[in-house]
Amino acid sequence: MIRFQQVSLQRGVKPLLENVDLTLNPGDKIGLIGANGAGKSSLFAMLRGELHADQGNIDFPARWRMAYVAQETPALDRPAIEYAIDGDAHLRQLEAELARAEAQPDDQHDGNHIAELHTALADADAYTVRSRAEQLLLGLGFSLEQMARPVASFSGGWRMRLNLAQALMCPSDLLLLDEPTNHLDLDAIIWLEDWLKRYPGTLLIISHDRDFLDGVVNVIVHIDDRKLKRYSGNYSAFERQRSAQLELMAGMIEKQQRQRAHLQSFIDRFKAKATKARQAQSRMKALSKMEELAPLRAAAEFSFEFREPLSAPNPLLVMEKVNAGYHIEGKNGAPDEDKIIVHGIDFSLQNGQRIGLLGVNGAGKSTLIKTVAGEIDPLSGTARLGKGLVIGYFAQHQVEMLRHDESPLWHLTRLAPDVREQELRNFLGSFNFNGTMASSSIAPFSGGEKARLALALIVWQRPNLLLLDEPTNHLDLETREALTMALAQFEGTLILVSHDRHLLRATTDQFLIVAESKLQDFDGDLDDYKDWLFKTKLAARNDAAAAPLPTASQVVDAASPAGNVDRKEQKRLEAEQRQKMSALKKPIEARIKRLDEQIAKLNTRKGEIDARLGSPDIYDAANKEELKTLITDQAYCSKELEQLENEWLEQQEALEQVQG
């Protein structure tokens, strides 16, 4: 287990943690949450040994293997798939040692040592490593062709995906993931969520994606007021428990304030009377000893709203037989070329529509949004805009388009040069850019603050059509919730591309999908889309990466058409095949064992809850809070048991397929 004992940490003059105690159990899947700057990444750095606590201890088993995502990716010529496999450092070490041993002159060959290395490589799943790496990279959105490309050829976001693949390739007992969904789109997030559900070790995730946390974690650790507070359940369960705590604490504080007022009233009335002096003195002592309850702080709420559009054209936009894509100018005398990404678009956008745009990575969602926004012209066909159309466009890389050497006030003044500065400052203040922050360079701002500024600039323009392409990148949970509420109340028209499923569910009422180079209606919800992904795209990826392992006789025949292989070689190949089969079974069997343990533990807990709920006294008024907690825990246990039992059945089927 991981144990924090009286841990305190300070960065510069800012205290992050004070006398923290916390225990995390092996196999827990933990979501680490808290306000920006609360110390989440610093806590990860302490676990990695890169930071040391100012006092106290952090202990976990020395034998545990730890994996985490590197923040830098060197511009290497190494193929992407080899870079991903490099995440298994132990395997690479064994391969290098074997290469050195086999390179020795014949008179220095150590056959026993080489045999031991082959055995160690088999134990390290060396024979399936390439297949596993391909499955990881395909799941994270890479094509088979991209896997052969050098690391240096990829952009920053794709290199971070490669770093994530390295972390997932590393055999580990403790996996630390800091915002793993930031550089992923929805299909890759759904694949990663499924992968992490099956991860057998202890998992710590920092994430601002509430649906992702709900789907993966069973424990929440909240950093608040320099303390770590553990909550059982996923993020939604945390919200319910936190809300109940805030309500309970508010009631306790109100009760204490009444008691203090009563004591103070008695003291004020009778402290001057000789007959009551002793009672007044005793009440003064009681008042001085009464420790004032510190209120639980709710997260500092941030909210904003989109201003009412000045006009409402209908339709806003009509596209007929539009081909969307890019015009590529020929070089060195080569002819120009049109690269069509989405073809034959027939699309009419009516006032008030709220559309979620779905599609796998590379399908053409951003290309379509750019075409609607007028950022790129249609390659063919016609696009007619409604009179009075005002587009608010948040591009996928909108933050990078800001002038980082200028201030929020400078950015807003460019949009409204004739508006008084105080009015602009008041508007920026509503987005938490107050005082000197409004007139300071945005270079030191966090990614979330820059994204908030980009949203503020769109809100100022009073658009009647919002085109949002991944607007939640860099936003923390509170700002995401503020954006969700603002979009839900927006009176115009919305087209949204997002990997945040909570945002999509709360703000859109229909889905379109870009698939097979076409724009089509999607008749279903996000759960249907997840099923569609697993049945089509993600299943196809796994099939492409997981060709069946050959039998020993097939390997022999391939090596020697005449089948003229001696018995020793035949036995070696058969042993190798058994090792490969064992490598396939091992993670499934380990997961089944872990699921059995979790199911037994939950059944025990549920039995205890059911027994307590069967007690007549639990329904007394004095036990109201306990009853609420028990009902919440009972619902959580039932839901978690259902999920675990479904996964147990899936794992059993997978094991039967491997054995068959």
Side-chain angles (χ1 to χ4, degrees):
M1 64 178 62
I2 303 172
R3 183 177 288 123
F4 290 73
Q5 295 175 302
Q6 290 295 295
V7 172
S8 294
L9 177 68
Q10 185 164 317
R11 301 299 303 271
V13 297
K14 182 180 180 181
L16 297 178
L17 300 174
E18 286 184 355
N19 301 320
V20 163
D21 290 304
L22 179 71
T23 299
L24 301 172
N25 299 317
D28 278 349
K29 291 183 168 61
I30 304 120
L32 182 62
I33 65 171
N36 285 341
K40 300 185 295 294
S41 295
S42 296
L43 189 148
F44 269 27
M46 285 196 294
L47 288 170
R48 293 194 300 263
E50 296 168 5
L51 270 182
H52 297 285
D54 295 311
Q55 71 175 47
N57 297 303
I58 303 176
D59 296 317
F60 58 88
R63 68 179 185 280
W64 273 16
R65 300 163 297 175
M66 185 189 300
Y68 54 89
V69 180
Q71 295 304 303
E72 300 294 333
T73 316
L76 302 172
D77 289 332
R78 193 163 178 73
I81 190 166
E82 297 298 331
Y83 181 79
I85 295 172
D86 289 345
D88 192 341
H90 176 61
L91 175 64
R92 288 304 200 199
Q93 182 182 350
L94 289 173
E95 287 177 339
E97 195 172 340
L98 178 62
R100 286 193 298 271
E102 291 181 335
Q104 293 293 323
D106 290 344
D107 59 340
Q108 297 179 27
H109 258 223
D110 186 343
N112 288 334
H113 182 50
I114 290 173
E116 288 169 358
L117 288 171
H118 275 289
T119 302
L121 281 165
D123 290 341
D125 296 332
Y127 299 110
T128 63
V129 67
R130 192 170 187 87
S131 172
R132 287 186 286 117
E134 286 177 347
Q135 287 185 39
L136 279 176
L137 291 173
L138 286 164
L140 292 173
F142 292 85
S143 66
L144 291 171
E145 177 273 326
Q146 285 176 310
M147 293 179 202
R149 284 171 43 190
V151 173
S153 67
F154 291 97
S155 66
W158 284 93
R159 290 189 196 181
M160 289 307 297
R161 293 193 190 205
L162 286 174
N163 286 352
L164 176 57
Q166 270 199 348
L168 301 185
M169 279 299 299
C170 177
S172 61
D173 304 290
L174 175 60
L175 177 59
L176 308 179
L177 297 179
D178 190 347
E179 294 290 358
T181 64
N182 261 5
H183 300 281
L184 304 182
D185 44 20
L186 185 53
D187 54 315
I189 289 173
I190 289 172
W191 175 89
L192 178 62
E193 184 179 303
D194 185 66
W195 192 97
L196 291 174
K197 283 179 184 176
R198 293 179 278 113
Y199 174 68
T202 302
L203 173 67
L204 264 82
I205 303 176
I206 298 171
S207 178
H208 295 308
D209 185 331
R210 57 185 296 155
D211 268 43
F212 181 70
L213 289 172
D214 272 352
V216 174
V217 308
N218 56 16
V219 173
I220 291 289
V221 172
H222 184 207
I223 304 182
D224 183 49
D225 200 22
R226 299 181 293 281
K227 299 293 183 185
L228 297 181
K229 173 72 173 174
R230 177 191 168 111
Y231 296 82
S232 294
N234 58 17
Y235 184 78
S236 294
F238 156 75
E239 279 198 319
R240 291 192 297 271
Q241 294 173 64
R242 177 74 171 165
S243 177
Q245 284 183 354
L246 290 169
E247 188 177 340
L248 178 62
M249 182 56 73
M252 290 173 65
I253 291 172
E254 184 181 348
K255 181 180 177 181
Q256 188 192 64
Q257 287 172 341
R258 288 198 302 270
Q259 291 173 336
R260 294 174 70 91
H262 179 72
L263 289 171
Q264 189 65 54
S265 173
F266 187 95
I267 293 165
D268 293 342
R269 285 167 58 202
F270 299 116
K271 65 181 178 182
K273 290 188 178 182
T275 57
K276 296 284 188 180
R278 181 170 293 180
Q279 292 95 320
Q281 285 292 327
S282 68
R283 282 162 173 75
M284 288 174 70
K285 288 179 182 178
L287 186 62
S288 66
K289 289 180 179 179
M290 186 181 289
E291 184 177 346
E292 188 163 350
L293 291 172
L296 281 175
R297 293 187 304 106
E301 289 191 6
F302 164 66
S303 63
F304 70 96
E305 58 184 29
F306 288 91
R307 302 191 291 179
E308 183 181 355
L310 295 174
S311 61
N314 200 26
L316 288 87
L317 168 76
V318 176
M319 288 183 164
E320 295 177 345
K321 295 181 172 53
V322 166
N323 286 339
Y326 301 91
H327 183 72
I328 303 170
E329 293 185 6
K331 295 181 180 179
N332 301 324
D336 293 354
E337 179 185 356
D338 286 343
K339 184 177 181 180
I340 298 174
I341 308 296
V342 188
H343 64 78
I345 303 169
D346 288 309
F347 176 52
S348 176
L349 188 59
Q350 305 299 315
N351 182 47
Q353 281 187 282
R354 311 179 71 80
I355 296 169
L357 194 58
L358 305 175
V360 299
N361 177 61
K365 302 185 295 295
S366 293
T367 302
L368 176 61
I369 289 277
K370 288 177 183 177
T371 306
V372 173
E375 293 285 304
I376 55 176
D377 294 325
L379 296 176
S380 61
T382 58
R384 298 190 301 276
L385 306 182
K387 186 177 180 181
L389 178 65
V390 180
I391 293 175
Y393 174 44
F394 189 104
Q396 194 165 2
H397 303 290
Q398 190 74 25
V399 168
E400 297 165 18
M401 300 177 192
L402 299 171
R403 281 281 298 272
H404 288 200
D405 58 332
E406 298 290 354
S407 67
L409 186 59
W410 179 89
H411 284 87
L412 191 55
T413 302
R414 287 187 66 205
L415 293 177
D418 300 326
V419 178
R420 289 185 307 112
E421 180 178 316
Q422 189 57 50
E423 185 178 342
L424 300 180
R425 283 184 175 274
N426 291 344
F427 176 78
L428 290 170
S430 70
F431 282 82
N432 284 358
F433 297 110
N434 299 303
T436 58
M437 195 176 184
S439 52
S440 301
S441 162
I442 70 169
F445 284 14
S446 68
E449 288 166 336
K450 291 170 184 172
R452 192 156 19 100
L453 173 59
L455 283 171
L457 298 177
I458 290 173
V459 171
W460 176 267
Q461 298 171 66
R462 304 182 77 165
N464 45 38
L465 171 59
L466 278 176
L467 304 174
L468 305 181
D469 191 356
E470 297 293 0
T472 60
N473 286 346
H474 308 292
L475 297 184
D476 59 22
L477 278 161
E478 287 74 28
T479 311
R480 287 186 186 211
E481 196 59 33
L483 175 62
T484 302
M485 295 299 294
L487 288 177
Q489 299 171 50
F490 175 56
E491 295 182 15
T493 305
L494 171 67
I495 299 180
L496 173 65
V497 176
S498 179
H499 63 248
D500 189 318
R501 284 161 286 175
H502 173 66
L503 180 66
L504 282 166
R505 284 192 186 96
T507 61
T508 63
D509 50 30
Q510 72 176 103
F511 292 111
L512 300 178
I513 187 169
V514 181
E516 299 173 350
S517 300
K518 293 183 291 185
L519 178 66
Q520 309 165 54
D521 287 324
F522 185 81
D523 186 17
D525 58 18
L526 287 175
D527 292 328
D528 297 319
Y529 179 66
K530 180 178 179 179
D531 292 340
W532 175 81
L533 275 175
F534 276 111
K535 288 175 183 174
T536 55
K537 301 299 179 183
L538 297 183
R541 289 177 183 178
N542 290 337
D543 291 343
L549 292 168
T551 65
S553 60
Q554 288 172 328
V555 174
V556 171
D557 291 342
S560 174
N564 187 20
V565 179
D566 63 35
R567 190 166 180 77
K568 281 187 179 179
E569 179 66 6
Q570 178 99 12
K571 285 187 174 181
R572 187 190 70 78
L573 291 168
E574 288 172 353
E576 183 179 303
Q577 177 63 12
R578 286 195 298 273
Q579 289 168 347
K580 291 179 181 179
M581 294 297 288
S582 175
L584 288 172
K585 287 164 60 178
K586 192 187 300 181
I588 300 175
E589 290 171 337
R591 182 57 184 158
I592 289 173
K593 181 181 177 183
R594 176 66 184 150
L595 285 168
D596 283 332
E597 293 169 354
Q598 290 176 306
I599 289 170
K601 186 177 175 182
L602 270 175
N603 274 322
T604 301
R605 174 62 182 146
K606 188 171 182 295
E608 293 169 351
I609 293 169
D610 292 343
R612 180 65 180 129
L613 287 173
S615 303
D617 65 298
I618 191 64
Y619 301 100
D620 294 346
N623 296 322
K624 181 181 177 182
E625 291 304 322
E626 184 188 0
L627 178 62
K628 285 168 61 179
T629 302
L630 285 170
I631 291 172
T632 300
D633 288 351
Q634 184 189 50
Y636 164 73
C637 285
S638 298
K639 181 180 177 183
E640 192 72 8
L641 271 171
E642 183 182 358
Q643 291 176 347
L644 291 173
E645 287 166 354
N646 287 337
E647 187 183 347
W648 187 90
L649 289 171
E650 291 170 2
Q651 294 294 332
Q652 287 288 355
E653 288 177 8
L655 184 60
E656 288 170 9
Q657 289 176 0
V658 170
Q659 290 171 335

